[in-house]
Amino acid sequence: MPDTARPTGSHSRPSILVTGAPGNVGREVVARLGERDVRLRCLARGRHAPHPDIEWVEGDLTDRADMRAALVGMDAVFLIWPLLESGPAAELIEEIAATSPRLVYLSSTAIDDEAPRQSDPIVQVHAEIELLLHNAGLGPIVLRSDTLASNARGWAAQLRTGDEVSGPDVAMTPVVDPRDVADAAVSALLRPNDDLDEEPHLLTGPEPLSRADQVARLGAVINRPLRFRSVSADLARERMLADGRPEPLVEALISAAEHRPASNCVTDHVQRLTGRPARTFTEWVTDHAVEFH
């Protein structure tokens, strides 16, 4: 990764707030910032074990008082919005705007800037949050991430009982390693402002992959004859509800599978931000193969 500078441009130790810290991307961001000379604060809903280099704050993004307290003294914020509606973000954004930190927002490459409405509810929320941040005058650094390679973890339970992964098919897209997204986020949090493009950074993997492609690559790594079987939306919905997923999330995932268009858009934005090419899906699987045995 190229040399970075503190977000304030001063010689003081920068203070960074990470939201969504326990998630696939958040935990990678925390791990990387933990290796830097920064004051690191993480907001999470549950309690976490004390760590000498991390200040864990128990709180909720939708609670204005929690956010006001978490933002005190922060130079920069890494924001992941976890909800399927943007309305509750309004007060959060007001609190962020009141402190005016550098803001890095994790969004989606599936956003179509020319469309009056996005392809599915998940992407629509990302587009609405981006607009709210810009309208608040925050000048956010927007990282639009493609589908995360770590979503493959959702297949582990099926692979414990057989060699078939079944589920709703999704459009081909350049799957990105969450470690690359995290490296890009850390770079965006720490690099000088004039070293960053104003346009959204589109974080992709090096090649478009279908769901069947991903399953085949996983099989090659763990030396099993894996196959993917597409199932109907009705059956996928039934299974996800039976697994205990909330109905709004299930409907959003089904809508994404049915309506999100395929993408062949491969960019070099990971390399621009991190100084190295994006990792392949096979690299992610190889480094996490133990999770699928």
Side-chain angles (χ1 to χ4, degrees):
M1 184 178 293
D3 289 340
T4 58
R6 292 171 173 79
T8 59
S10 71
H11 294 290
S12 62
R13 188 181 183 211
S15 299
I16 300 175
L17 173 66
V18 175
T19 71
N24 285 321
V25 173
R27 74 183 69 163
E28 298 286 356
V29 171
V30 169
R32 284 151 178 76
L33 288 175
E35 298 172 350
R36 303 298 187 95
D37 184 22
V38 303
R39 178 186 168 206
L40 179 56
R41 179 180 294 164
C42 297
L43 179 72
R45 294 181 108 178
R47 292 184 179 275
H48 288 262
H51 190 286
D53 299 318
I54 302 173
E55 179 188 358
W56 283 98
V57 177
E58 187 174 6
D60 193 315
L61 276 177
T62 63
D63 186 299
R64 190 162 193 159
D66 285 349
M67 283 307 303
R68 185 179 299 128
L71 286 162
V72 171
M74 294 294 102
D75 300 312
V77 176
F78 179 58
L79 176 62
I80 296 177
W81 182 250
L83 303 184
L84 292 171
E85 55 179 330
S86 61
E91 291 188 347
L92 160 68
I93 291 170
E94 288 179 5
E95 292 298 330
I96 295 175
T99 58
S100 299
R102 167 177 290 202
L103 180 70
V104 177
Y105 175 59
L106 184 62
S107 187
S108 170
T109 57
I111 288 178
D112 180 353
D113 290 311
E114 304 301 320
R117 223 32 218 177
Q118 300 301 319
S119 61
D120 59 82
I122 297 171
V123 183
Q124 181 64 34
V125 168
H126 281 302
E128 291 171 359
I129 296 291
E130 284 191 23
L131 183 60
L132 286 170
L133 293 171
H134 284 293
N135 287 346
L138 283 164
I141 302 165
V142 176
L143 304 180
R144 291 183 179 174
S145 170
D146 217 297
T147 300
L148 296 175
S150 51
N151 288 353
R153 287 189 169 113
W155 307 333
Q158 292 188 59
L159 295 179
R160 283 193 285 270
T161 60
D163 291 331
E164 181 177 272
V165 172
S166 64
D169 206 354
V170 295
M172 180 177 287
T173 187
V175 177
V176 65
D177 192 315
R179 297 172 297 184
D180 289 341
V181 177
D183 285 338
V186 170
S187 179
L189 287 162
L190 296 176
R191 286 171 76 165
N193 282 331
D194 57 8
D195 199 25
L196 290 165
D197 297 331
E198 293 185 3
E199 296 299 316
H201 302 268
L202 309 180
L203 308 180
T204 75
E207 61 174 335
L209 297 173
S210 67
R211 184 62 58 86
D213 293 332
Q214 295 173 60
V215 171
R217 281 163 170 71
L218 173 57
V221 169
I222 65 175
N223 196 28
R224 287 172 58 184
L226 303 186
R227 59 192 177 275
F228 174 71
R229 179 172 64 89
S230 177
V231 301
S232 69
D234 287 342
L235 179 55
R237 179 182 291 107
E238 179 183 329
R239 287 179 175 178
M240 286 190 279
L241 290 172
D243 287 340
R245 298 192 192 190
E247 185 174 356
L249 174 60
V250 170
E251 293 304 325
L253 292 172
I254 294 295
S255 178
E258 291 183 319
H259 303 298
R260 194 172 298 181
S263 173
N264 293 311
C265 178
V266 174
T267 76
D268 65 349
H269 293 191
V270 167
Q271 181 157 6
R272 290 187 199 177
L273 285 168
T274 69
R276 55 159 184 75
R279 296 176 176 94
T280 65
F281 179 75
T282 297
E283 287 179 90
W284 184 89
V285 169
T286 299
D287 292 341
H288 297 84
V290 67
E291 298 179 33
F292 299 95
H293 287 292

